[in-house]
Amino acid sequence: MTTPDSAGDAPKKAPAKDPWDLPDVSSLVVGVLGGTGDQGRGLAYRLAQAGQRVIIGSRAAERAQAAAAELGHGVEGADNAECARRSDIVIVAVPWDGHARTLEGLRGELAGKLVVDCVNPLGFDKKGAYALTPEEGSAAEQAAALLPDSRVTAAFHHLSAVLLQDPEVASIDTDVMVLGESRADTDLVQALAGRIPGMRGVFAGRLRNAHQVESLVANLISVNRRYKAHAGVRITDI
């Protein structure tokens, strides 16, 4: 006699999702707030070069438009508010000291958007770079607190702006640690990172783990100074 508990009657589990089965993001518009700074320009250049439609934002539209013209590859420039409104995914690459002020002023424009925070709260003194700890725990968590109607993730922290902007560098050999509360959102950001040759997006946990990811940049700055390098990060065994 068989019972409902019999092995043959047990419901089969759905196969686990392949973590490298990522969505197609090629049609999404990417906005870069702080797109006239080194990191923002570099990301905009690489994504546009890969075929992504990119808009860079600045407090002054004219400054963004001038930077966009220099980058080429169809990059557009706009003020921060228009950049946020017209984009599907918005990368925040502003200086740390203007992070909260910028996001507070764009709360409405960023509502419903996928926001990718790549800001590293750092201080500098005679001993070099060191990590700061925001009241919320990290820059990404500050962004989530300021943007309750946005889907906030964290990524693109450990990239060399020098390599990103160098047209002679064909491939950026690095992994991008991606953090967020929704796996669907982190999948999108991983896929976006993977659009750049040599780069791979890797899920690295929830936003509560963003502080140590942001802080690692202080160590990379020390590495780069000591070895005159442009170090990135690779995650092994995956």
Side-chain angles (χ1 to χ4, degrees), residues 162-178:
V162 173
L163 295 183
L164 287 173
Q165 294 185 83
D166 189 345
E168 299 300 315
V169 175
S171 179
I172 307 294
D173 182 25
T174 193
D175 284 333
V176 171
M177 286 192 273
V178 182

Side-chain angles (χ1 to χ4, degrees), residues 60-86:
E62 295 81 6
R63 186 180 177 194
Q65 290 161 358
E70 292 175 4
L71 291 174
H73 297 284
V75 176
E76 300 177 62
D79 64 44
N80 282 331
E82 183 181 354
C83 172
R85 277 194 301 267
R86 293 175 55 196

Side-chain angles (χ1 to χ4, degrees), residues 17-24 187 190-191:
K17 181 181 181 296
D18 181 352
W20 301 113
D21 181 15
L22 300 171
D24 179 6
D187 280 355
Q190 285 179 253

Side-chain angles (χ1 to χ4, degrees), residues 24-33 40 43-57 68 71-78 82-91 113 192 195-196:
D24 179 6
V25 296
S26 59
S27 65
L28 299 181
V29 180
V30 179
V32 184
L33 302 179
L43 281 168
Y45 172 70
R46 290 291 167 174
L47 289 169
Q49 190 180 49
Q52 208 76 36
R53 185 180 170 195
V54 177
I55 304 170
I56 59 175
L71 291 174
H73 297 284
V75 176
E76 300 177 62
E82 183 181 354
C83 172
R85 277 194 301 267
R86 293 175 55 196
S87 302
D88 301 303
I89 299 177
V90 180
I91 298 173
K113 308 286 184 177
L192 186 64
R195 297 272 288 160
I196 300 174

